[in-house]
Amino acid sequence: MSNENITVANDIVVSMAYVLRIEDGQLIDQSEDDAPLEYIQGARQIIPGLEKALIGLNVGDEKIVEVKPADGYGERDPDDIVEMPRGNLPESIDLSVGKPLKMKDSESGESFKAYVVESNPETVTLDFNHPLAGRTLNFHVKIINLRQATEEELTHGHVHNDNHTH
Ligand code: ZN
């Protein structure tokens, strides 16, 4: 049940429609008409710059939020662009420029993405920066629904809905 008296605040489940563009107007992502993004405010599920800007909004409110890299995906780090011998990578993988590669850190087990930025017969250059690092993000959001998170959702740190219950 939604409640018209609640506004976006910590421990509130927010359902919102959004369109994300970057500074040059390029469309990056948007929610489907029948599937708004749902998250728990204050649970660090969305980028901090966006989360902060939504505090106090009501159901039906629309807002355009500009998020600088520092409050978004961070600045691009030139040290995260690495040239390595082709032999370091399995022969089976496609190393065309622009291809995302899924890598796994053998020590921590953490998986992350890298993008091929240059490909030569001997070497390949990978960019480990997030593709949106260094970008100013422009969100157009509309609040669709607000409700109090359940104890269980707060314990789990995520929203339970038709697609996800446990
Ligand atoms: Zn859960």
Side-chain angles (χ1 to χ4, degrees):
M1 281 295 287
S2 65
N3 180 333
E4 354 180 286
N5 297 320
I6 55 179
T7 60
V8 177
N10 281 351
D11 302 344
I12 297 294
V13 173
V14 179
S15 302
M16 67 176 184
Y18 71 95
V19 177
L20 168 59
R21 294 178 187 276
I22 49 176
E23 65 277 350
D24 64 5
Q26 188 191 334
L27 178 67
I28 299 298
D29 195 15
Q30 63 185 325
S31 55
E32 303 287 336
D33 283 348
D34 55 353
L37 172 70
E38 289 190 304
Y39 74 94
I40 301 172
Q41 179 80 11
R44 296 165 181 251
Q45 293 188 283
I46 62 171
I47 56 169
L50 179 60
E51 190 173 55
K52 215 175 358 174
L54 301 179
I55 294 169
L57 293 186
N58 296 288
V59 171
D61 282 353
E62 288 187 55
K63 190 170 183 179
I64 289 170
V65 181
E66 189 185 85
V67 178
K68 296 286 184 198
D71 290 323
Y73 291 96
E75 300 291 350
R76 286 181 66 79
D77 182 351
D79 291 341
D80 285 345
I81 297 172
V82 180
E83 185 178 14
M84 62 179 72
R86 220 161 228 270
N88 284 13
L89 295 160
E91 269 181 46
S92 57
I93 57 176
D94 183 358
L95 295 175
S96 320
V97 171
K99 276 275 175 193
L101 305 182
K102 230 177 165 178
M103 318 272 285
K104 201 165 186 178
D105 188 305
S106 52
E107 279 165 30
S108 68
E110 206 180 320
S111 62
F112 49 93
K113 260 188 192 168
Y115 289 82
V116 179
V117 289
E118 212 183 308
S119 203
N120 297 308
E122 297 297 319
T123 63
V124 59
T125 305
L126 299 179
D127 185 352
F128 291 88
N129 286 288
H130 189 283
L132 293 175
R135 298 299 200 153
T136 294
L137 310 174
N138 197 288
F139 289 91
H140 184 168
V141 304
K142 182 176 185 186
I143 306 299
I144 305 295
N145 191 47
L146 297 171
R147 66 170 170 83
Q148 194 71 46
T150 64
E151 286 299 325
E152 195 185 38
E153 286 174 324
L154 293 175
T155 308
H156 291 193
H158 57 233
V159 176
H160 290 173
N161 57 29
D162 293 345
N163 302 318
H164 179 90
T165 46
H166 66 93

